[in-house]
Amino acid sequence: MKKLKFILPLFFGVATIFSACGGGEEAPKVEENTTDFEYTAEEEVEDEPTEQTQYFLPSALQIGSVFQKSGLQYFDGIVNSPMNVEKYESKNAKLLNFGTYSADLAYCVLNGQNQVALNQMKALRELAAGVGMQSIFNSEALFGKFERNLGNQDSVIEVMVQIQENVDMFIDDNNMQSMANIIFAGAWIEGMYIGVKATSDEPESKITGRLAEQMVILDNLVKALGTVENKTEDLSNIEKQLVDLRNYFNGLEEIKGKDQINFKEIEISIDHLRSIADRVVKMRTQIVQPV
Amino acid sequence: MKKILFGFGVLALMAFSYTNLNSSREIVNYCDKEASKEKCKKALVPYRYSSMKVTDVTFRGYNQIKEITIPLFFDSKYRFVFNTEGLPHDIKIEIYDKHSTERKKKDEPLFSAESSQKQFNFEPEEGFAGTNIYVNYLIPAVEPTSDLEKGCVVLMSGFENELSFDSGGGDETN
């Protein structure tokens, strides 16, 4: 009994040291007696995102409507061909092009090109299945509704909104913010591509404002992509080009050093605009036509 | 000597029990995303849905802040709807025009609200010159309990629907 009296405390002592090393809720290092709020990174093994800052990016439909508001017209043959879907093999390629087709879909629908939109929708459906997101179409019900309502603009837009909601819920339910960031990268680049290509004889100032406004998003997109782990080579390459584009834009004499920019009145030289357009076209080509 | 060892043993036992209790805390989640989402959607009308973000909140024994960066298009009208019904404790929501790393203590938020309001909207003023807004969730420390309490804030954004529809005559509405 005497031995037991001696061994028990020793056992618990050792056990305590071990358990103190491994478990329990550990607060980040904050000063004692402070009532200030601290920016904390989550260190739990639970399913909360670990990044300190989260990004709330707009939908492809909203980007499309901003373009439409600025007078962007519909031009045939600009959108990514649905035939390309089979070329996208890696998961990142599928996600980037999910974004591409989302932007194309918005562009077509907002311009009343619903038959073309239907083909973009089919491509989206195929890519969604390829990355395990087929549930966003509510067991095909949404696709069927889209197909049956091609003549009703408002219904078609409602289906797009519903799909966007389902994507957002899917991303959230499965804690896949990285996926959302990659999809958005594809959508943003395609939106810029459309903005560059669908210009024809528009005045320069109008195009400038439209493209410059989209650059507001770029900084957030770059940061959001920075949180994606285990990037494939193709995605890293796109990220690098986005960073270069951001740095180029921010370094322009028309932009540099300005705290607040009036995107309605901004004037960017034609050479600078061409350089931005060339970078966008290069990125977009790499996404839709992988080598 | 034996008494000292015995005393140490009792203390160790207490610490061991506490640690085990702590590590085996059950997670109680008060978040009902679907219900919150539906309420947000209703509050968006007449704005058109753009995006949604559900921020998970775990209440702990220390204060926390979570920040969300939201880019804004120039000359667009927005509505942001916050639903905090899925929180077991109150938090504070503040919206700034500067990132937390660029703010000074004297900087006032553009908007602030208590989660006890359960649901509220924020619409940036027309002519707002910034390119981003920054939503901060200020999560206060709570007394440790046997359960780990979690909840969520649902944030939904809508943009003004300025689209003109010249086509019509649809064959189906649902």
Side-chain angles (χ1 to χ4, degrees), chain A residues 48 62 69 148-149 168, chain B residues 49-50 58 74-75 171-172:
Chain A
E48 281 182 36
Q62 188 177 358
K69 203 170 135 186
R148 286 191 302 276
N149 285 276
D168 290 342
Chain B
Y49 174 92
S50 177
T58 303
F74 178 75
D75 221 11
D171 53 1
E172 198 176 301

Side-chain angles (χ1 to χ4, degrees), chain A residues 10-51:
Chain A
L10 198 65
F11 167 75
F12 283 122
V14 172
T16 304
I17 291 164
F18 273 103
S19 57
C21 289
E25 186 181 349
E26 197 177 303
K29 285 171 189 161
V30 288
E31 285 176 28
E32 275 181 36
N33 301 324
T34 178
T35 52
D36 284 350
F37 283 85
E38 299 286 334
Y39 284 81
T40 58
E42 297 292 327
E43 77 278 29
E44 289 288 320
V45 288
E46 294 152 21
D47 55 359
E48 281 182 36
T50 50
E51 71 268 31

Side-chain angles (χ1 to χ4, degrees), chain A residues 6 25 39 42 44 46 48 54 56-57 62 69 148-149 151 158 165 168 172 213 220 264, chain B residues 5 25 33 41 49-51 53 58 60 66-67 69 74-75 78 100 132 136 148 171-172:
Chain A
F6 179 76
E25 186 181 349
Y39 284 81
E42 297 292 327
E44 289 288 320
E46 294 152 21
E48 281 182 36
Q54 300 171 46
F56 189 83
L57 300 167
Q62 188 177 358
K69 203 170 135 186
R148 286 191 302 276
N149 285 276
E158 273 313 310
E165 277 183 50
D168 290 342
D172 181 70
E213 186 168 19
N220 293 298
K264 244 182 183 172
Chain B
L5 281 172
R25 287 166 78 184
K33 279 182 216 171
K41 228 182 140 182
Y49 174 92
S50 177
S51 303
K53 189 166 213 59
T58 303
R60 303 178 190 283
K66 294 196 174 199
E67 186 163 68
T69 303
F74 178 75
D75 221 11
Y78 290 87
S100 53
N132 289 302
N136 282 199
L148 191 61
D171 53 1
E172 198 176 301

